[in-house]
mmCIF file of all heavy atoms in Angstrom:
data_model
loop_
_atom_site.group_PDB
_atom_site.id
_atom_site.type_symbol
_atom_site.label_atom_id
_atom_site.label_comp_id
_atom_site.label_asym_id
_atom_site.label_seq_id
_atom_site.Cartn_x
_atom_site.Cartn_y
_atom_site.Cartn_z
ATOM 1 N N CYS I 59 193.590 83.598 103.624
ATOM 2 C CA CYS I 59 193.050 82.297 103.880
ATOM 3 C C CYS I 59 192.375 81.719 102.664
ATOM 4 O O CYS I 59 192.536 80.505 102.363
ATOM 5 C CB CYS I 59 192.034 82.428 105.028
ATOM 6 S SG CYS I 59 191.475 80.787 105.658
ATOM 7 N N LEU I 60 191.608 82.537 101.980
ATOM 8 C CA LEU I 60 190.997 82.171 100.680
ATOM 9 C C LEU I 60 192.060 81.580 99.738
ATOM 10 O O LEU I 60 191.871 80.578 99.106
ATOM 11 C CB LEU I 60 190.266 83.332 100.094
ATOM 12 C CG LEU I 60 189.565 83.155 98.730
ATOM 13 C CD1 LEU I 60 188.445 82.193 98.860
ATOM 14 C CD2 LEU I 60 189.096 84.473 98.212
ATOM 15 N N ARG I 61 193.138 82.317 99.654
ATOM 16 C CA ARG I 61 194.239 81.917 98.804
ATOM 17 C C ARG I 61 194.745 80.530 99.129
ATOM 18 O O ARG I 61 195.013 79.716 98.310
ATOM 19 C CB ARG I 61 195.377 82.996 98.829
ATOM 20 C CG ARG I 61 196.690 82.596 98.135
ATOM 21 C CD ARG I 61 197.685 83.668 98.416
ATOM 22 N NE ARG I 61 198.909 83.456 97.618
ATOM 23 C CZ ARG I 61 199.912 82.722 97.993
ATOM 24 N NH1 ARG I 61 199.864 82.004 99.118
ATOM 25 N NH2 ARG I 61 200.974 82.605 97.206
ATOM 26 N N ALA I 62 194.958 80.360 100.482
ATOM 27 C CA ALA I 62 195.524 79.089 100.952
ATOM 28 C C ALA I 62 194.558 77.890 100.682
ATOM 29 O O ALA I 62 194.991 76.834 100.264
ATOM 30 C CB ALA I 62 195.828 79.190 102.471
ATOM 31 N N VAL I 63 193.317 78.093 100.900
ATOM 32 C CA VAL I 63 192.258 77.066 100.670
ATOM 33 C C VAL I 63 192.319 76.656 99.193
ATOM 34 O O VAL I 63 192.342 75.495 98.864
ATOM 35 C CB VAL I 63 190.865 77.518 101.121
ATOM 36 C CG1 VAL I 63 189.820 76.503 100.645
ATOM 37 C CG2 VAL I 63 190.828 77.746 102.601
ATOM 38 N N ILE I 64 192.280 77.700 98.345
ATOM 39 C CA ILE I 64 192.184 77.392 96.888
ATOM 40 C C ILE I 64 193.435 76.696 96.403
ATOM 41 O O ILE I 64 193.377 75.643 95.690
ATOM 42 C CB ILE I 64 191.926 78.694 96.076
ATOM 43 C CG1 ILE I 64 190.511 79.254 96.383
ATOM 44 C CG2 ILE I 64 192.090 78.462 94.634
ATOM 45 C CD1 ILE I 64 190.282 80.627 95.836
ATOM 46 N N ARG I 65 194.593 77.219 96.765
ATOM 47 C CA ARG I 65 195.876 76.658 96.298
ATOM 48 C C ARG I 65 196.079 75.239 96.857
ATOM 49 O O ARG I 65 196.591 74.372 96.124
ATOM 50 C CB ARG I 65 197.024 77.553 96.654
ATOM 51 C CG ARG I 65 197.010 78.808 95.870
ATOM 52 C CD ARG I 65 198.297 79.612 95.922
ATOM 53 N NE ARG I 65 198.323 80.702 95.008
ATOM 54 C CZ ARG I 65 199.439 81.204 94.453
ATOM 55 N NH1 ARG I 65 200.595 80.727 94.665
ATOM 56 N NH2 ARG I 65 199.345 82.250 93.604
ATOM 57 N N ALA I 66 195.754 75.008 98.111
ATOM 58 C CA ALA I 66 195.929 73.710 98.717
ATOM 59 C C ALA I 66 194.998 72.699 98.049
ATOM 60 O O ALA I 66 195.343 71.543 97.764
ATOM 61 C CB ALA I 66 195.632 73.719 100.218
ATOM 62 N N GLY I 67 193.770 73.129 97.724
ATOM 63 C CA GLY I 67 192.872 72.240 97.023
ATOM 64 C C GLY I 67 193.346 71.898 95.605
ATOM 65 O O GLY I 67 193.281 70.754 95.164
ATOM 66 N N LEU I 68 193.790 72.940 94.866
ATOM 67 C CA LEU I 68 194.248 72.705 93.500
ATOM 68 C C LEU I 68 195.446 71.758 93.489
ATOM 69 O O LEU I 68 195.647 70.906 92.627
ATOM 70 C CB LEU I 68 194.636 74.040 92.850
ATOM 71 C CG LEU I 68 193.437 74.950 92.524
ATOM 72 C CD1 LEU I 68 193.926 76.323 92.059
ATOM 73 C CD2 LEU I 68 192.488 74.336 91.473
ATOM 74 N N TYR I 69 196.341 71.927 94.523
ATOM 75 C CA TYR I 69 197.521 71.104 94.663
ATOM 76 C C TYR I 69 197.148 69.571 94.773
ATOM 77 O O TYR I 69 197.875 68.748 94.291
ATOM 78 C CB TYR I 69 198.340 71.566 95.826
ATOM 79 C CG TYR I 69 199.589 70.751 96.060
ATOM 80 C CD1 TYR I 69 200.772 71.034 95.354
ATOM 81 C CD2 TYR I 69 199.643 69.707 97.038
ATOM 82 C CE1 TYR I 69 201.921 70.307 95.576
ATOM 83 C CE2 TYR I 69 200.773 68.969 97.242
ATOM 84 C CZ TYR I 69 201.922 69.260 96.493
ATOM 85 O OH TYR I 69 203.112 68.552 96.758
ATOM 86 N N GLN I 70 195.953 69.401 95.397
ATOM 87 C CA GLN I 70 195.489 68.001 95.585
ATOM 88 C C GLN I 70 194.658 67.542 94.438
ATOM 89 O O GLN I 70 194.050 66.420 94.481
ATOM 90 C CB GLN I 70 194.714 67.898 96.873
ATOM 91 C CG GLN I 70 195.521 68.180 98.140
ATOM 92 C CD GLN I 70 196.540 67.106 98.432
ATOM 93 O OE1 GLN I 70 196.513 65.989 97.909
ATOM 94 N NE2 GLN I 70 197.542 67.443 99.258
ATOM 95 N N GLY I 71 194.520 68.328 93.405
ATOM 96 C CA GLY I 71 193.794 67.975 92.207
ATOM 97 C C GLY I 71 192.297 68.145 92.266
ATOM 98 O O GLY I 71 191.494 67.546 91.533
ATOM 99 N N ILE I 72 191.847 69.009 93.217
ATOM 100 C CA ILE I 72 190.448 69.248 93.458
ATOM 101 C C ILE I 72 190.007 70.455 92.609
ATOM 102 O O ILE I 72 190.753 71.418 92.419
ATOM 103 C CB ILE I 72 190.188 69.589 94.966
ATOM 104 C CG1 ILE I 72 190.744 68.486 95.858
ATOM 105 C CG2 ILE I 72 188.728 69.889 95.246
ATOM 106 C CD1 ILE I 72 190.003 67.131 95.682
ATOM 107 N N ASP I 73 188.784 70.351 92.072
ATOM 108 C CA ASP I 73 188.198 71.506 91.413
ATOM 109 C C ASP I 73 187.703 72.459 92.523
ATOM 110 O O ASP I 73 186.929 72.144 93.392
ATOM 111 C CB ASP I 73 187.020 71.097 90.567
ATOM 112 C CG ASP I 73 187.402 70.288 89.344
ATOM 113 O OD1 ASP I 73 188.603 70.428 88.927
ATOM 114 O OD2 ASP I 73 186.560 69.577 88.776
ATOM 115 N N MET I 74 188.122 73.736 92.394
ATOM 116 C CA MET I 74 187.895 74.723 93.481
ATOM 117 C C MET I 74 186.897 75.761 92.986
ATOM 118 O O MET I 74 186.951 76.222 91.859
ATOM 119 C CB MET I 74 189.148 75.385 93.942
ATOM 120 C CG MET I 74 190.160 74.450 94.572
ATOM 121 S SD MET I 74 189.507 73.509 96.017
ATOM 122 C CE MET I 74 189.061 74.928 97.121
ATOM 123 N N TYR I 75 185.947 76.146 93.867
ATOM 124 C CA TYR I 75 184.942 77.088 93.586
ATOM 125 C C TYR I 75 184.859 78.153 94.697
ATOM 126 O O TYR I 75 185.207 77.890 95.853
ATOM 127 C CB TYR I 75 183.550 76.421 93.503
ATOM 128 C CG TYR I 75 183.369 75.490 92.336
ATOM 129 C CD1 TYR I 75 183.971 74.260 92.346
ATOM 130 C CD2 TYR I 75 182.607 75.859 91.253
ATOM 131 C CE1 TYR I 75 183.843 73.393 91.248
ATOM 132 C CE2 TYR I 75 182.453 74.990 90.169
ATOM 133 C CZ TYR I 75 183.085 73.770 90.156
ATOM 134 O OH TYR I 75 182.911 72.933 89.095
ATOM 135 N N VAL I 76 184.470 79.395 94.344
ATOM 136 C CA VAL I 76 184.214 80.410 95.287
ATOM 137 C C VAL I 76 182.725 80.779 95.287
ATOM 138 O O VAL I 76 182.110 80.650 94.226
ATOM 139 C CB VAL I 76 185.066 81.679 95.107
ATOM 140 C CG1 VAL I 76 186.563 81.365 95.228
ATOM 141 C CG2 VAL I 76 184.805 82.306 93.720
ATOM 142 N N ILE I 77 182.235 81.226 96.397
ATOM 143 C CA ILE I 77 180.854 81.653 96.523
ATOM 144 C C ILE I 77 180.856 83.173 96.946
ATOM 145 O O ILE I 77 181.431 83.500 97.953
ATOM 146 C CB ILE I 77 180.116 80.848 97.584
ATOM 147 C CG1 ILE I 77 180.099 79.373 97.202
ATOM 148 C CG2 ILE I 77 178.677 81.351 97.758
ATOM 149 C CD1 ILE I 77 179.614 78.422 98.282
ATOM 150 N N TYR I 78 180.306 83.959 96.120
ATOM 151 C CA TYR I 78 180.283 85.431 96.411
ATOM 152 C C TYR I 78 179.186 85.766 97.385
ATOM 153 O O TYR I 78 178.114 85.136 97.395
ATOM 154 C CB TYR I 78 180.095 86.242 95.122
ATOM 155 C CG TYR I 78 181.328 86.196 94.185
ATOM 156 C CD1 TYR I 78 181.527 85.189 93.223
ATOM 157 C CD2 TYR I 78 182.298 87.176 94.336
ATOM 158 C CE1 TYR I 78 182.647 85.207 92.417
ATOM 159 C CE2 TYR I 78 183.418 87.194 93.527
ATOM 160 C CZ TYR I 78 183.607 86.188 92.552
ATOM 161 O OH TYR I 78 184.723 86.197 91.811
ATOM 162 N N ASP I 79 179.444 86.807 98.237
ATOM 163 C CA ASP I 79 178.453 87.343 99.171
ATOM 164 C C ASP I 79 177.984 86.341 100.175
ATOM 165 O O ASP I 79 176.812 86.345 100.579
ATOM 166 C CB ASP I 79 177.230 87.878 98.362
ATOM 167 C CG ASP I 79 177.597 89.034 97.499
ATOM 168 O OD1 ASP I 79 178.426 89.893 97.902
ATOM 169 O OD2 ASP I 79 177.172 89.112 96.344
ATOM 170 N N GLY I 80 178.923 85.510 100.694
ATOM 171 C CA GLY I 80 178.678 84.686 101.858
ATOM 172 C C GLY I 80 177.483 83.729 101.687
ATOM 173 O O GLY I 80 177.199 83.208 100.593
ATOM 174 N N LEU I 81 176.798 83.486 102.802
ATOM 175 C CA LEU I 81 175.638 82.584 102.804
ATOM 176 C C LEU I 81 174.539 83.068 101.930
ATOM 177 O O LEU I 81 173.799 82.235 101.303
ATOM 178 C CB LEU I 81 175.167 82.349 104.249
ATOM 179 C CG LEU I 81 176.143 81.606 105.158
ATOM 180 C CD1 LEU I 81 175.581 81.671 106.617
ATOM 181 C CD2 LEU I 81 176.365 80.180 104.741
ATOM 182 N N ARG I 82 174.374 84.366 101.811
ATOM 183 C CA ARG I 82 173.339 84.929 100.892
ATOM 184 C C ARG I 82 173.663 84.513 99.422
ATOM 185 O O ARG I 82 172.766 84.075 98.701
ATOM 186 C CB ARG I 82 173.251 86.391 101.032
ATOM 187 C CG ARG I 82 172.090 87.021 100.276
ATOM 188 C CD ARG I 82 172.064 88.547 100.398
ATOM 189 N NE ARG I 82 173.155 89.164 99.652
ATOM 190 C CZ ARG I 82 173.508 90.432 99.809
ATOM 191 N NH1 ARG I 82 172.939 91.182 100.763
ATOM 192 N NH2 ARG I 82 174.530 90.942 99.150
ATOM 193 N N GLY I 83 174.931 84.616 99.123
ATOM 194 C CA GLY I 83 175.308 84.264 97.729
ATOM 195 C C GLY I 83 175.184 82.788 97.471
ATOM 196 O O GLY I 83 174.865 82.324 96.384
ATOM 197 N N LEU I 84 175.374 81.981 98.555
ATOM 198 C CA LEU I 84 175.173 80.520 98.399
ATOM 199 C C LEU I 84 173.703 80.210 98.090
ATOM 200 O O LEU I 84 173.401 79.445 97.170
ATOM 201 C CB LEU I 84 175.597 79.798 99.698
ATOM 202 C CG LEU I 84 175.283 78.333 99.744
ATOM 203 C CD1 LEU I 84 175.880 77.537 98.602
ATOM 204 C CD2 LEU I 84 175.773 77.786 101.123
ATOM 205 N N VAL I 85 172.775 80.848 98.802
ATOM 206 C CA VAL I 85 171.353 80.645 98.550
ATOM 207 C C VAL I 85 170.984 81.073 97.169
ATOM 208 O O VAL I 85 170.139 80.488 96.475
ATOM 209 C CB VAL I 85 170.533 81.428 99.604
ATOM 210 C CG1 VAL I 85 169.063 81.331 99.266
ATOM 211 C CG2 VAL I 85 170.790 80.861 101.016
ATOM 212 N N GLU I 86 171.589 82.164 96.709
ATOM 213 C CA GLU I 86 171.296 82.675 95.377
ATOM 214 C C GLU I 86 172.039 81.994 94.198
ATOM 215 O O GLU I 86 171.830 82.299 93.089
ATOM 216 C CB GLU I 86 171.598 84.229 95.360
ATOM 217 C CG GLU I 86 170.727 85.019 96.312
ATOM 218 C CD GLU I 86 171.142 86.441 96.401
ATOM 219 O OE1 GLU I 86 172.185 86.798 95.831
ATOM 220 O OE2 GLU I 86 170.438 87.256 97.024
ATOM 221 N N GLY I 87 172.960 81.140 94.564
ATOM 222 C CA GLY I 87 173.724 80.421 93.562
ATOM 223 C C GLY I 87 174.880 81.167 92.914
ATOM 224 O O GLY I 87 175.244 80.911 91.762
ATOM 225 N N GLN I 88 175.421 82.147 93.624
ATOM 226 C CA GLN I 88 176.550 82.929 93.092
ATOM 227 C C GLN I 88 177.897 82.125 93.261
ATOM 228 O O GLN I 88 178.733 82.435 94.093
ATOM 229 C CB GLN I 88 176.649 84.273 93.797
ATOM 230 C CG GLN I 88 175.460 85.121 93.568
ATOM 231 C CD GLN I 88 175.617 86.473 94.307
ATOM 232 O OE1 GLN I 88 176.618 87.153 94.038
ATOM 233 N NE2 GLN I 88 174.622 86.921 95.082
ATOM 234 N N ILE I 89 178.014 81.091 92.520
ATOM 235 C CA ILE I 89 179.108 80.123 92.645
ATOM 236 C C ILE I 89 179.910 80.120 91.322
ATOM 237 O O ILE I 89 179.328 80.005 90.280
ATOM 238 C CB ILE I 89 178.532 78.712 92.943
ATOM 239 C CG1 ILE I 89 177.725 78.791 94.201
ATOM 240 C CG2 ILE I 89 179.674 77.724 93.079
ATOM 241 C CD1 ILE I 89 176.947 77.506 94.535
ATOM 242 N N LYS I 90 181.220 80.150 91.498
ATOM 243 C CA LYS I 90 182.104 80.276 90.292
ATOM 244 C C LYS I 90 183.350 79.410 90.503
ATOM 245 O O LYS I 90 184.008 79.445 91.529
ATOM 246 C CB LYS I 90 182.523 81.689 90.017
ATOM 247 C CG LYS I 90 183.499 81.894 88.891
ATOM 248 C CD LYS I 90 183.901 83.314 88.775
ATOM 249 C CE LYS I 90 184.951 83.527 87.686
ATOM 250 N NZ LYS I 90 185.434 84.952 87.580
ATOM 251 N N GLN I 91 183.684 78.652 89.460
ATOM 252 C CA GLN I 91 184.957 77.902 89.497
ATOM 253 C C GLN I 91 186.105 78.775 89.303
ATOM 254 O O GLN I 91 186.059 79.743 88.496
ATOM 255 C CB GLN I 91 184.915 76.721 88.496
ATOM 256 C CG GLN I 91 186.122 75.817 88.609
ATOM 257 C CD GLN I 91 186.043 74.612 87.679
ATOM 258 O OE1 GLN I 91 185.114 74.470 86.890
ATOM 259 N NE2 GLN I 91 187.069 73.726 87.774
#
């Protein structure tokens, strides 16, 4: 699913990011393009 979200977004010209460690990682800013 992660693969599909990223590839579909890139196909539409969107900058795609992942967040490590779920909601905890979001709070901590573990965000990577």
Side-chain angles (χ1 to χ4, degrees):
C59 189
L60 178 66
R61 175 184 186 273
V63 172
I64 293 172
R65 290 194 172 209
L68 292 172
Y69 180 81
Q70 296 293 342
I72 304 297
D73 290 340
M74 297 301 300
Y75 292 75
V76 296
I77 300 171
Y78 287 90
D79 297 319
L81 293 174
R82 187 181 71 195
L84 172 56
V85 173
E86 296 173 352
Q88 297 183 50
I89 302 171
K90 176 184 176 183
Q91 187 173 3

